[in-house]
Amino acid sequence: MDRITCIEDLREVHRRRVPKAFFDYVDCGSYSQQTYRANRDDLQAIKFRQRILVDISRRDLATNILGENASLPLILAPVGSTGMQYGDGEIHACRAAQAAGIPYTLSTMSINSIEDVAESVDKPFWFQLYVMKDRGFVRELIQRAVAAKCSALVLTVDLQVLGQRHQDIKNGLSVPPQLFSLSNLLDFMRKPSWLIGTLRAKRRNFGNIAGHVKNVDDLGSVAGWVAGQFDPALNWKDVEWIRGIWPGKLILKGILDIEDAKKAAKTGAQALVVSNHGGRQLDSAQSSIEILPRIVDAVGSKVEIMFDGGIRSGQDVMRALALGARSCMIGRAYVYGLGAFGGPGVTKALDIIAKELSVTMGLCGVNTIADIDRRVLAA
């Protein structure tokens, strides 16, 4: 990995080593991908104020996330089907995050189950929840997260209906799945290391669902059940219901509107994640970074603000922190590393971002995360 210098390098290795269907699942957005592109373009349009002759010898990336010490202001975001990027991918990613001293978030739609991850790591991790029509199953998921000693619940609130991702349909990631078409099978065979690793893994299905819902065990039946479970009736009362069941820290992910942010801040949640689901839901929505400062101004004094959407570098982290985020979630950036090299690839992605952040802080004349504010940005 010595020649890997940036997240884009990891992305290219990931693209070569993982079947197209699973690479595209991570790499693409919904519909025409306008929001997906805006997340990146709007971040990169933000310029820094370069400072000189400032003592920057004491640079420190450590911070506090939801009352817990963290080595840098990063969180591994929930990403579905991570175990299809690399065998037992969720376990490898969680171990890498914990070794780096930052939180890891397990998706409801993970391949490794809550229990698989809990028995494979030494520290608590976060769990991300989708609220499905089967509220009994939702209650069971929360209880399983409590039993696994998950330290925070990330409630995703922007998936009442599913935005269409054209590439997923073309690649057979549809309902019912068409993964085993001739073209996909040939692609699998051309990726022998991926194929062997996946076959050796604990699971190749959605571990949190298969075996826990009646008559839902194989990939097709699980996919069909999930497709019918996203609940368009989801509303603020459901957040209250979950708040009454979940005893720990609650994070609401998917906030992209000022009025919604004000309502969310009154729910008892400890944090909000400004996010448009990585450009995978509402196409032509605002980029996450465009709305971030307005949400910070509206509710940042009442609730911790996290940022998600387009982070590919330490410079991007700096931009989000400068506009008021307390920490940032990364999804694609770490999955590129996972698909490329497994756990060491996740570690490499984190190292790249941390080093870029440290250098950027130095060239902007700041030493600590707490020093980063809008004054580091060019006028």
Side-chain angles (χ1 to χ4, degrees):
M1 282 190 284
D2 292 344
R3 293 181 178 273
I4 300 294
T5 62
C6 61
I7 298 299
E8 180 60 25
D9 286 349
L10 291 172
R11 177 182 177 274
E12 282 303 306
V13 179
H14 180 200
R15 183 180 60 81
R16 294 196 302 267
R17 293 189 174 181
V18 174
K20 185 177 186 298
F22 299 116
F23 174 78
D24 285 351
Y25 171 78
V26 169
D27 197 56
C28 297
S30 65
Y31 299 103
S32 64
Q33 304 192 99
Q34 292 183 44
T35 301
Y36 167 79
R37 290 191 297 270
N39 277 346
R40 294 290 302 123
D41 293 345
D42 290 355
L43 270 169
Q44 292 182 305
I46 297 170
K47 306 304 179 186
F48 295 114
R49 181 185 176 201
Q50 180 173 304
R51 304 302 304 278
I52 60 170
L53 298 179
V54 177
D55 181 356
I56 52 170
S57 61
R58 299 171 288 104
R59 297 195 308 286
D60 184 0
L61 305 187
T63 188
N64 184 283
I65 300 175
L66 282 186
E68 300 288 336
N69 293 331
S71 63
L72 65 161
L74 276 185
I75 302 150
L76 295 198
V79 179
S81 302
T82 313
M84 297 309 293
Q85 306 295 331
Y86 191 92
D88 292 328
E90 289 87 3
I91 292 171
H92 290 292
C94 187
R95 286 173 175 167
Q98 292 186 348
I102 64 171
Y104 168 80
T105 316
L106 181 70
S107 170
T108 291
M109 303 307 299
S110 59
I111 303 301
N112 291 128
S113 68
I114 299 171
E115 294 79 10
D116 291 338
V117 178
E119 69 185 18
S120 302
V121 300
D122 299 324
K123 301 174 185 177
F125 53 93
W126 296 2
F127 180 67
Q128 175 269 334
L129 180 70
Y130 285 126
V131 179
M132 300 179 178
K133 292 177 182 177
D134 186 342
R135 295 297 197 267
F137 177 66
V138 173
R139 182 186 289 272
E140 180 188 344
L141 274 177
I142 295 172
Q143 291 169 342
R144 289 166 62 191
V146 171
K149 297 182 172 55
C150 292
S151 53
L153 186 71
V154 179
L155 175 59
T156 296
V157 294
D158 61 354
L159 205 78
Q160 290 167 280
V161 293
L162 190 63
Q164 180 169 299
R165 298 146 201 174
H166 297 330
Q167 286 304 117
D168 287 353
I169 295 173
K170 293 173 182 177
N171 290 329
L173 291 176
S174 53
V175 180
Q178 304 293 326
L179 266 177
F180 301 110
S181 64
L182 179 59
S183 61
N184 278 343
L185 287 173
L186 290 173
D187 193 20
F188 295 170
M189 297 302 292
R190 287 192 290 264
K191 310 292 192 303
S193 61
W194 171 88
L195 185 59
I196 292 169
T198 303
L199 291 175
R200 288 177 175 173
K202 289 176 180 288
R203 301 179 190 272
R204 288 165 295 282
N205 202 339
F206 297 112
N208 291 321
I209 296 170
H212 294 274
V213 178
K214 290 182 179 179
N215 303 316
V216 173
D217 292 302
D218 62 89
L219 181 61
S221 63
V222 170
W225 184 83
V226 170
Q229 282 293 315
F230 291 112
D231 191 356
L234 182 68
N235 60 68
W236 292 103
K237 291 183 179 179
D238 292 299
V239 179
E240 294 177 16
W241 176 70
I242 290 165
R243 177 72 277 179
I245 300 171
W246 172 252
K249 298 170 185 176
L250 179 65
I251 302 163
L252 301 186
K253 180 177 181 289
I255 307 300
L256 206 69
D257 179 86
I258 303 300
E259 293 306 312
D260 287 343
K262 291 177 179 178
K263 291 179 181 178
K266 297 177 182 178
T267 63
Q270 281 71 39
L272 311 180
V273 185
V274 177
S275 172
N276 53 36
H277 215 100
R280 294 165 61 83
Q281 280 294 95
L282 176 62
D283 203 20
S284 297
Q286 288 179 292
S287 69
S288 296
I289 199 67
E290 181 182 1
I291 192 65
L292 171 65
R294 295 176 58 199
I295 290 178
V296 169
D297 289 345
V299 300
S301 62
K302 301 174 184 176
V303 64
E304 194 162 320
I305 305 297
M306 301 171 177
F307 176 83
D308 169 70
I311 298 287
R312 300 288 189 278
S313 67
Q315 291 88 350
D316 291 337
V317 173
M318 182 92 159
R319 290 166 173 131
L321 297 180
L323 291 177
R326 293 277 298 279
S327 58
C328 296
M329 284 189 167
I330 58 170
R332 291 181 176 96
Y334 91 80
V335 176
Y336 293 147
L338 180 71
F341 301 106
V346 178
T347 299
K348 183 68 173 180
L350 295 176
D351 286 346
I352 288 169
I353 291 174
K355 290 175 182 176
E356 290 172 342
L357 176 58
S358 179
V359 170
T360 306
M361 288 169 60
L363 294 176
C364 291
V366 296
N367 280 291
T368 71
I369 298 301
D371 291 336
I372 302 172
D373 58 25
R374 298 184 195 192
R375 288 174 294 180
V376 306
L377 302 178

